[in-house]
Every structure is written in structure tokens, then in C-alpha cells.
Amino acid sequence: MQLHEIAHGRTGDKGDTSNISIIAFDAANWDRIMRDVTVEKVAAHFGPTIAGDVTRYLLPQLQAMNFVLKGALTGGVTRSLALDAHGKCLASVLLEMEI
């Protein structure tokens, strides 16, 4: 199953850092998301495209989590030559992760 089947995402970026929030569609899936969407799995999913640390913050009252990916935007939106590698599309990439 892909993550997008039980959750949706919101994103943002600041400089070379991307924030990706994953929010459960149904609170019944929160435990699975918390168990299966770990820092290690997210870092492995993105692979070498993330040059820095990945940090996870849990928001259990919202059945959500926020990942901060440092070094994810090849210098930042205004410095990158990539057209689609910014925060907005990285949530879609993460939601394709197999869980």
C-alpha cells in the first residue's frame, strides 16, 4: 500500500529546507502511520536527494507528523536549477512511499 491511500500531505519550504506534513485521513490509521513512516524510511525513500538531516515531529492530537528535510532543495527555490524539486512536489513524492 502507498502512503497516499491513508494520508494526505502539506508542504512548505524555507531556503534549502523542506517541511512535509503527513496527516491521516482517519484516526484509525494513525498508529500504522506512526509505526511505518519513520525518519529512516523517509531518508531512504528520498535517498541522496536529501543532503542533510531528516527530523520527525509528531502531532498526535492531529494524527499528523511533520518532517523537516535539511539540504533538500539544492540551495533553495531561488538558487536551484530544478523546476519541480521544491517543497510543494516533495509531499507527492513522500506520499508514494510504500508502507
Side-chain angles (χ1 to χ4, degrees):
M1 153 189 305
Q2 290 185 320
L3 181 56
H4 72 82
E5 295 177 44
I6 60 171
H8 63 99
R10 299 279 300 165
T11 60
D13 50 65
K14 193 63 150 181
D16 199 27
T17 301
S18 179
N19 288 292
I20 305 173
S21 293
I22 299 298
I23 306 111
F25 288 132
D26 185 329
N29 292 314
W30 173 239
D31 286 338
R32 179 172 187 178
I33 293 169
M34 219 172 34
R35 180 188 70 232
D36 292 346
V37 186
T38 64
V39 166
E40 295 79 18
K41 288 182 181 177
V42 169
H45 183 71
F46 283 104
T49 61
I50 306 299
D53 293 331
V54 176
T55 306
R56 180 176 85 163
Y57 297 96
L58 298 177
L59 302 156
Q61 68 279 22
L62 301 174
Q63 292 84 47
M65 58 181 60
N66 184 55
F67 287 93
V68 177
L69 289 73
K70 301 233 181 205
L73 302 174
T74 53
V77 174
T78 58
R79 296 183 63 196
S80 174
L81 297 177
L83 295 176
D84 290 329
H86 307 304
K88 301 298 182 225
C89 71
L90 291 181
S92 295
V93 172
L94 183 54
L95 289 168
E96 291 177 356
M97 184 172 74
E98 291 288 332
I99 58 169

